[in-house]
Amino acid sequence: RLAAIGSMTLDPRERVRLIQELIRSADLTEPGCGAAFWDFAFGRLTPETGLEPVLDTLGRFWAIADRDAAWAFLTDPERTSTNPHDRLGDSQFLALKGLLLEWMRSDVAGALERARSFSQPVRRSGLMVHLYLEWLATAPNDALAEFPNETFQDGMGGLSTRILLLGIVQRQNPALGLKLFDAIPREAWTGVDDPEEVAQYMGWITNHPKLGATLIERLPESIARPLVTRLVDAWTQVDPMAALEWLVDQSKFAQTGPDV
């Protein structure tokens, strides 16, 4: 059936739909079945023709059928890596993300533990971010309680991944974003190599000026300073008097230079 789908002249979206239907109906406990879908997807699809949704579907439904077998296959670099120097390639990441997100539905602790087990920092951080976003959407209090114990920043330039996670959550739910901000240990802000980079990740504060002002007041001055002008510019568009009143009250920004 895969060969038949591959031989048809189809719109890429229709081909993806047919492959996804076949994955859903297949017996993924059968030895070699999941591998056959992997080989087909990787050999016949590209990011432009639907590789990501197919691998996501494969990861999710293989997790339902036999997650241990799926994990063993997808984390075997000799079987799935396309680059011997990259122990977790892009295609593996797509499938593993689907696998772990489905795993998390029934076993949060197990899915997180598997994600933490990666030795490659950037990929590990990426998987952890996706799992936490799912957890924050379904059980925010549990996720917030565990968040301070996680180490997201390894290999990601200081606080970058934490700030990215905070920003994504904040766009969906500002109150949850503030709670998540409070869950970041204060000592994590010390020793940041590039305050400007952290400020880049926090550019979303201009979408919610009052919340942004609250966060800026809690940040070290070296990180807060680059954000002030952007925040005031955005706030001025909607409530200039509030922006002015806040700014003149912030004595710690008195020496920030002519822009402020």
Side-chain angles (χ1 to χ4, degrees), residues 13 23 25 27 39 44-45 69 71 103 108-109 116 148 151-152 177 185 204 210-211 216 235-236 243 253 257:
R13 289 172 295 183
I23 292 171
S25 64
D27 180 5
D39 290 340
R44 301 294 295 270
L45 301 176
W71 178 265
W103 194 322
V108 171
R116 292 187 193 105
T151 304
F152 290 98
W204 48 262
K210 290 183 180 179
L211 176 63
I216 281 179
W235 206 350
T236 299
F253 301 129

Side-chain angles (χ1 to χ4, degrees), residues 10-260:
L10 296 168
D11 177 86
R13 289 172 295 183
E14 179 64 11
R15 177 174 283 106
V16 166
R17 186 187 68 79
L18 291 173
I19 297 169
Q20 288 175 315
E21 285 184 359
L22 191 54
I23 292 171
R24 294 184 187 106
S25 64
D27 180 5
L28 289 166
T29 63
E30 184 72 20
C33 183
F37 283 111
W38 168 272
D39 290 340
F40 180 88
F42 189 75
R44 301 294 295 270
L45 301 176
T46 66
E48 292 73 31
T49 58
L51 181 64
E52 180 170 358
V54 167
L55 290 179
D56 178 78
T57 300
L58 176 60
R60 289 178 183 274
F61 280 83
W62 207 349
I64 295 170
D66 189 345
R67 62 193 183 195
D68 288 329
W71 178 265
F73 178 89
L74 293 171
T75 55
D76 179 358
E78 293 188 2
R79 183 64 182 85
T80 56
S81 181
T82 59
N83 181 346
H85 302 294
D86 181 4
R87 295 188 59 81
L88 182 60
D90 291 340
S91 298
Q92 285 169 292
F93 181 82
L94 294 172
L96 282 167
K97 182 179 70 173
L99 167 67
L100 289 174
L101 287 174
E102 187 61 43
W103 194 322
M104 199 173 203
R105 291 177 182 270
S106 60
D107 181 11
V108 171
L112 288 170
E113 190 58 37
R114 295 285 181 156
R116 292 187 193 105
S117 70
F118 286 113
S119 59
Q120 190 178 350
V122 173
R123 296 299 192 186
R124 181 176 67 241
S125 294
L127 289 170
M128 292 297 290
V129 166
H130 284 289
L131 292 181
Y132 260 87
L133 287 175
E134 182 76 11
W135 201 11
L136 284 160
T138 56
N141 291 332
D142 292 341
L144 287 167
E146 184 64 23
F147 180 76
N149 302 320
E150 298 290 358
T151 304
F152 290 98
Q153 69 268 34
D154 286 358
M156 292 294 287
L159 289 167
S160 296
T161 310
R162 289 183 183 226
I163 297 305
L164 176 61
L165 176 58
L166 172 60
I168 293 171
V169 175
Q170 188 274 342
R171 288 186 187 120
Q172 300 171 352
N173 185 329
L176 183 59
L178 185 57
K179 289 181 180 179
L180 188 57
F181 179 88
D182 288 336
I184 298 175
R186 286 294 163 262
E187 59 270 19
W189 296 106
T190 62
V192 174
D193 294 332
D194 189 350
E196 288 278 356
E197 181 189 13
V198 175
Q200 289 275 339
Y201 280 104
M202 294 191 69
W204 48 262
I205 65 170
T206 60
N207 298 327
H208 299 276
K210 290 183 180 179
L211 176 63
T214 300
L215 296 184
I216 281 179
E217 290 167 11
R218 303 184 190 189
L219 287 166
E221 185 180 359
S222 61
I223 298 173
R225 186 185 300 117
L227 292 166
V228 175
T229 301
R230 272 182 278 174
L231 176 70
V232 173
D233 283 346
W235 206 350
T236 299
Q237 304 302 314
V238 293
D239 192 345
M241 286 306 299
L244 179 60
E245 289 171 3
W246 175 79
L247 184 60
V248 297
D249 280 343
Q250 301 308 308
S251 59
K252 76 174 183 179
F253 301 129
Q255 303 301 320
T256 54
D259 286 348
V260 172

